[in-house]
Amino acid sequence: MRLVSSPLYADVALSVYVKVKALASRPEGCQARTETIASYLGLSGSSVERGMKQLRRPGPDGVVELFTQRRTLPGGAGQSAVRTVRSMSRMEAFVWLPVAAAENLTPRQLRVFALVAYAQARGIALTEAEIASCLLHHSGEKAGQALSVTAASAVVDEVEAARWITVQRRLGARGRNVYIAHDLAPEARADTPADVCGAAAGVAETAVDSGSEGPASSQVGEGSGSPVGEGSLANRESPRTDSPDDGRAPISPAVGEVQVVEAAEAVENPTAAEAPSEGEGGVALRAGEVSQPCSKRDGEKRSSKGGGSFRSSYTGPRLALSAEIYTVLEPVHVLLEQITSDFVVRKIAREVGRQLREGTAADRLQHRLTARLAKVALSEIRDPGRWLLGVALPRWSCGHQDCEAGIIWRTGAACELCAETVQDRFAARQREQRLEQGLCVWHGTRPGPSGHCADCELEAAIQHPARFPMAREPEGPQRSSCGGCGCLIFLTGRAVDTGLCRLCREETDALASVEPAAPAAQSGPQPCSAYDGAGPCPRRALPTRSVCLTHRSRELAGVVA
């Protein structure tokens, strides 16, 4: 009832919710595509998408009504999504609605039917003004405003004309109308004395009308219903709620078709009830569905509305496969003979034909069917049709057209793309296992205090070696060694030309000023002219100096000091 009473959900959201929840109650869940759901409800695909969008979007209270799970086959092809609805708590207000009503009524009419069914289950006396307050404009200038009582009366008349509700006019307290909701439209119900709703409909037919011409429901200010807040008290107890908790009742097919019983006819198309249902069980199903158990006794035959024998409306030739497709399916003929649904056989034939048209060789298909059938036992295949469509016929490989389950069909070599995919999946599983065990993801060893294992630290050291600081050149003028004494000097001024320090230059200048004959008179190395302690220094003097290297160093040290 959250979807019915809330003004944030459009009428189409309720119809989509009822259909999706019914389909989701099956063992395989709701796997129908949007186009399929739209065809069931008689709506456009865009309307169904709009309803699903509102159901998937969180409401003001953060509640999401519909969940969608996308699926993809191993080959990469997409499948229809699996849709589920949220689980309701016992504290929430709810009402059970028949799936056939969602298909037979428009979204706005279904909303009115839900209001009447809830009021009937709770024993609430409902008025037309209260019905109008729950019907809103969802587009145009009046978006968000409630419908008028006249417009709501017209919707009630349409639901009554569809025979989903019965309006007992002026039979309630203070002359108010009494609304009765039916589990099934009276046209599709059994005409028996125990039929409570049928009896109520008979009472409604004998009710005395007001005698006024025009619409059956009351107009504004002229009907039995009073404005909101002035309605009569509850005057009728509901004997039961329409709940499927009784396990003895047959399970609904959840695709919108009503159960076929004696003297029954369809809701919309009376001639559709004469079509035979597939399998035994007395439930009308679409092609390919499994019939549910029926409460009828074994051997009891069903009859048409006129009481004649039950015959099929189709009298044409039986389904036949082409010779090429039949030859391709030769390895699985034993399973093909077990399929009783022509719809499933036709779907298998179309799948084989599609693959042949796309370039798949016939011998390749035969090999695929033979190999996959050899991997399972026939006793393990419970549904041959589903196994052929979902296991045997699909191509399991990568995107390469010539790849067949990891083997190149023309050459017989292993497919490199499939091998890489297998390796990637193995590596992903191995990483997940190592994460669960607390090991290093890459090496499988225990990490150290730093959070990395020894192998990871070694690889990091190899990839990023430590950088040692390089020797920095001192700033300033260029430095060099003196050509005379070997000390370190700055190459500035005259030192750039001579390559000598200041003392060496002075000595050189002093020697140059002496007459040139003096050096010639001296021959051979000269002893040092300095004194070492008490006596003269025994060392030889430098070629350009009168002292040895030791005393020359002392002289330089004294000058610097």
Side-chain angles (χ1 to χ4, degrees):
M1 289 301 296
R2 179 176 176 273
L3 300 178
V4 180
S5 60
S6 176
L8 301 177
Y9 294 96
D11 299 331
V12 69
L14 178 61
S15 299
V16 173
Y17 177 85
V18 172
K19 192 62 186 178
V20 171
K21 185 167 185 178
L23 293 174
S25 63
R26 301 185 301 179
E28 61 272 19
C30 178
Q31 301 181 8
R33 302 176 60 186
T34 304
E35 294 79 3
T36 306
I37 298 176
S39 64
Y40 290 162
L41 299 176
L43 302 174
S44 62
S46 58
S47 299
V48 175
E49 287 288 352
R50 184 169 63 255
M52 289 185 180
K53 183 179 180 180
Q54 292 185 357
L55 295 174
R56 291 194 303 264
R57 183 173 52 196
D61 51 357
V63 177
V64 179
E65 297 288 349
L66 181 64
F67 301 93
T68 301
Q69 180 182 2
R70 303 294 180 184
R71 298 184 301 168
T72 305
L73 291 172
Q79 278 185 311
S80 59
V82 177
R83 297 180 175 88
T84 55
V85 297
R86 70 176 180 90
S87 301
M88 296 178 56
S89 64
R90 283 293 182 181
M91 303 302 296
E92 296 186 58
F94 67 95
V95 63
W96 293 100
L97 299 180
V99 187
E103 297 185 347
N104 187 234
L105 300 176
T106 62
R108 178 154 293 179
Q109 295 173 1
L110 181 64
R111 198 163 197 159
V112 172
F113 178 77
L115 290 171
V116 174
Y118 180 74
Q120 176 179 333
R122 303 294 294 179
I124 301 173
L126 197 61
T127 63
E128 291 181 354
E130 293 173 346
I131 295 177
S133 64
C134 296
L135 303 179
L136 304 177
H137 293 278
H138 296 282
S139 61
E141 298 179 355
K142 297 183 178 180
Q145 301 180 10
L147 268 67
S148 62
V149 179
T150 305
S153 300
V155 179
V156 173
D157 293 339
E158 295 173 356
V159 180
E160 185 183 14
R163 306 189 67 178
W164 280 101
I165 64 173
T166 299
V167 182
Q168 298 179 354
R169 293 172 177 79
R170 303 186 181 279
L171 292 184
R174 300 182 183 179
R176 305 189 186 280
N177 294 345
V178 177
Y179 300 93
I180 301 175
H182 304 305
D183 299 342
L184 297 176
E187 292 181 354
R189 295 178 61 88
D191 191 8
T192 60
D195 189 0
V196 179
C197 295
V203 175
E205 293 177 358
T206 60
V208 179
D209 198 359
S210 61
S212 61
E213 298 179 356
S217 298
S218 60
Q219 302 296 325
V220 180
E222 300 178 4
S224 60
S226 62
V228 180
E230 299 179 6
S232 60
L233 299 177
N235 62 344
R236 183 173 180 272
E237 292 292 339
S238 177
R240 64 179 180 85
T241 57
D242 183 19
S243 173
D245 295 337
D246 188 4
R248 297 171 297 177
I251 303 174
S252 172
V255 292
E257 288 81 3
V258 298
Q259 298 181 7
V260 180
V261 294
E262 257 187 292
E265 56 185 21
V267 177
E268 292 183 327
N269 188 5
T271 60
E274 301 179 1
S277 62
E278 295 189 10
E280 298 179 359
V283 179
L285 297 178
R286 300 187 187 274
E289 298 291 344
V290 180
S291 61
Q292 302 292 341
C294 181
S295 60
K296 295 173 67 67
R297 296 185 301 271
D298 295 341
E300 183 179 356
K301 297 182 179 180
R302 293 175 296 174
S303 61
S304 61
K305 183 178 180 181
S309 61
F310 187 84
R311 294 182 180 180
S312 174
S313 60
Y314 178 75
T315 58
R318 298 185 61 184
L319 176 65
L321 301 178
S322 64
E324 184 180 8
I325 295 178
Y326 189 78
T327 304
V328 171
L329 296 174
E330 181 179 0
V332 292
H333 279 178
V334 62
L335 297 177
L336 200 63
E337 294 174 354
Q338 300 177 12
I339 302 176
T340 59
S341 174
D342 292 344
F343 174 79
V344 178
V345 176
R346 187 180 295 107
K347 196 171 183 180
I348 294 173
R350 288 178 178 175
E351 176 64 20
V352 174
R354 181 189 64 82
Q355 295 192 24
L356 292 176
R357 288 192 304 271
E358 291 181 356
T360 304
D363 56 345
R364 179 177 174 180
L365 276 177
Q366 287 184 343
H367 173 78
R368 182 187 305 170
L369 295 174
T370 304
R372 294 181 182 176
L373 183 61
K375 295 180 180 179
V376 297
L378 294 179
S379 59
E380 298 177 357
I381 302 177
R382 299 181 179 180
D383 191 341
R386 180 177 296 181
W387 185 85
L388 288 174
L389 290 173
V391 179
L393 286 176
R395 184 176 67 91
W396 298 343
S397 59
C398 59
H400 198 288
Q401 185 65 25
D402 204 24
C403 179
E404 183 68 29
I407 302 297
I408 303 300
W409 177 256
R410 298 181 183 178
T411 61
C415 179
E416 297 180 358
L417 296 178
C418 293
E420 293 179 359
T421 303
V422 172
Q423 293 177 359
D424 294 343
R425 292 179 178 177
F426 173 77
R429 290 194 300 269
Q430 190 179 38
R431 286 195 296 268
E432 293 178 358
Q433 293 177 358
R434 289 177 176 176
L435 283 175
E436 295 177 356
Q437 298 174 2
L439 303 178
C440 177
V441 177
W442 305 107
H443 304 97
T445 55
R446 289 288 178 183
S450 62
H452 302 281
C453 66
D455 296 335
C456 291
E457 295 178 353
L458 179 60
E459 291 180 358
I462 295 174
Q463 295 177 359
H464 305 284
R467 296 182 179 180
F468 296 97
M470 298 179 63
R472 296 179 56 185
E473 296 184 358
E475 299 179 358
Q478 185 178 0
R479 292 171 172 80
S480 180
S481 299
C482 176
C485 61
C487 65
L488 187 64
I489 60 175
F490 290 101
L491 296 179
T492 58
R494 295 181 57 188
V496 177
D497 300 330
T498 60
L500 301 175
C501 62
R502 183 172 63 85
L503 296 177
C504 293
R505 288 198 304 272
E506 291 177 354
E507 291 181 359
T508 303
D509 295 340
L511 292 175
S513 61
V514 179
E515 55 186 46
Q522 299 176 0
S523 61
Q526 299 296 327
C528 178
S529 60
Y531 288 87
D532 188 4
C537 179
R539 303 181 187 88
R540 291 181 297 179
L542 295 173
T544 58
R545 299 288 186 276
S546 61
V547 293
C548 64
L549 180 61
T550 301
H551 289 87
R552 177 60 177 168
S553 300
R554 293 177 182 176
E555 292 179 358
L556 293 176
V559 172
V560 172

